[in-house]
Amino acid sequence: MVSPTDEPLTPEVVFRDYVPRVYNLARRMLNNDADAEDATQDVLLQVVRKLDTFRGDAAFTTWLHRVTVNAALAVRRKRNRREEHRVHDPLENFTEEGQHSGFVRPWPKLPDNMVLDSEQHQLIEEAIGKLPETYRDVFVLADVQQLPNAEIAESLGLSLSAVKSRLHRARLMMRDALSRHYEERLS
Amino acid sequence: MNLTCRKVTEILVDFVDGSLPEEERDTLERHLCGCVPCAIYLRTYHDTIILTKSLPNVPLPPEFLTRLKTMFAKECGQQG
Ligand SMILES: [Zn+2]
């Protein structure tokens, strides 16, 4: 995420620094390009009304994230397309005694400055799209957008502990999904 | 106190964000030293976070961007 620039919010700054993150956040939450476009459009209409009151600073980014989350949730409600992905619970991969029930295989070492190739990019986007919405929202805000847990809790109307527990569950699901790819690479 | 591998997995979120109480952290670290599967699990949990963080933003579809810019200019005009 680009850090706030403290520049005046000219149309150029809005389209360069903020529109991409609005669109990408909405797209990842909604897992649908057309829905993401609707949400982005809603957000931009709200931005126009605020152009004079905000600069491109931290207060604006916080406000923008909240407005984007609300717009995405509103589009989701309107569509009423309950896409419930069934994902295996990673915490079931243990014996009754609490030991790992299968092999835990290592992945290849990641480079220090990780740059994803298009195959990895697609793989991760797909895995995010398959997370149940409850977990996906928190995961996208925390681990993709890098927002602080407190901000996420406020945006989604959750307690801090609920945010952390959903984030953890989402990471475990993501780890399982990515394992299929990264374990193979090693063998 | 002994931790099961399942319990280790449950508290990884607190371990990686540094919020695990010291005593529990020591117990977890001892477990990791003696348990290869959990050590690998922690590393891949961490890798999952790194990979996700590296995700770039995708550009907006060009025709949508054009539409958006037109709408924006029009709305700005109406705002005065
Ligand atoms: Zn273990």
Side-chain angles (χ1 to χ4, degrees):
Chain A
M1 177 135 292
V2 193
S3 51
T5 51
D6 205 25
E7 286 176 274
L9 285 173
T10 61
E12 194 190 16
V13 170
V14 168
F15 276 90
R16 185 194 64 204
D17 292 346
Y18 299 103
V19 168
R21 65 175 98 170
V22 168
Y23 174 72
N24 275 270
L25 171 54
R27 185 167 169 268
R28 287 178 180 129
M29 279 179 68
L30 296 165
N31 196 28
N32 179 292
D33 291 355
D35 288 356
E37 292 185 6
D38 285 356
T40 306
Q41 203 165 313
D42 287 355
V43 173
L44 213 61
L45 286 172
Q46 298 186 60
V47 169
V48 172
R49 290 184 213 120
K50 292 279 185 183
L51 276 184
D52 299 334
T53 44
F54 275 122
R55 292 176 69 83
D57 58 8
F60 176 67
T61 14
T62 305
W63 175 83
L64 190 67
H65 285 132
R66 191 158 313 153
V67 169
T68 306
V69 169
N70 287 339
L73 294 178
V75 168
R76 191 186 280 162
R77 267 195 306 274
K78 203 163 66 189
R79 295 286 181 275
N80 202 17
R81 231 191 341 248
R82 300 290 316 158
E83 37 148 338
E84 261 329 304
H85 297 294
R86 287 191 187 282
V87 178
H88 175 78
D89 181 1
L91 287 175
E92 281 176 8
N93 299 339
F94 293 89
T95 63
E96 273 181 33
E97 293 75 38
Q99 290 176 318
H100 296 275
S101 54
F103 285 115
V104 183
R105 293 187 176 84
W107 298 359
K109 192 178 166 356
L110 299 181
D112 285 337
N113 286 316
M114 188 69 209
V115 178
L116 302 176
D117 60 34
S118 60
E119 188 193 3
Q120 289 175 306
H121 183 164
Q122 198 187 340
L123 174 89
I124 299 167
E125 296 274 16
E126 277 174 13
I128 293 173
K130 283 180 186 154
L131 290 174
E133 288 167 354
T134 319
Y135 301 105
R136 193 198 306 151
D137 293 346
V138 173
F139 184 76
V140 168
L141 291 167
D143 280 3
V144 184
Q145 304 295 122
Q146 302 284 309
L147 300 191
N149 287 350
E151 211 175 290
I152 300 169
E154 210 171 319
S155 286
L156 294 173
L158 295 170
S159 68
L160 258 183
S161 65
V163 168
K164 272 185 83 167
S165 117
R166 287 180 190 195
L167 173 60
H168 183 49
R169 202 50 80 101
R171 284 176 178 168
L172 296 180
M173 291 172 183
M174 286 294 293
R175 196 210 73 91
D176 277 6
L178 300 182
S179 279
R180 278 168 233 138
H181 173 85
Y182 286 101
E183 286 174 357
E184 273 172 23
R185 288 214 159 175
L186 205 62
S187 52
Chain B
M1 189 185 98
N2 274 319
L3 287 176
T4 62
C5 299
R6 188 193 153 102
K7 183 64 190 167
V8 166
T9 306
E10 282 172 3
I11 59 178
L12 284 182
V13 66
D14 296 321
F15 183 64
V16 299
D17 75 12
S19 67
L20 206 60
E22 199 178 330
E23 197 181 328
E24 240 180 303
R25 197 187 61 214
D26 290 347
T27 317
L28 189 146
E29 280 170 352
R30 270 201 306 281
H31 181 107
L32 291 173
C33 284
C35 180
V36 176
C38 279
I40 296 173
Y41 202 99
L42 168 64
R43 179 173 282 273
T44 53
Y45 181 88
H46 193 253
D47 286 349
T48 302
I49 298 171
I50 301 291
L51 285 166
T52 309
K53 199 177 168 178
S54 319
L55 212 54
N57 277 340
V58 300
L60 279 70
E63 62 286 5
F64 174 57
L65 187 60
T66 309
R67 214 162 7 107
L68 214 53
K69 283 184 170 167
T70 309
M71 184 202 82
F72 191 82
K74 199 174 133 223
E75 290 290 324
C76 281
Q78 283 173 5
Q79 293 282 312

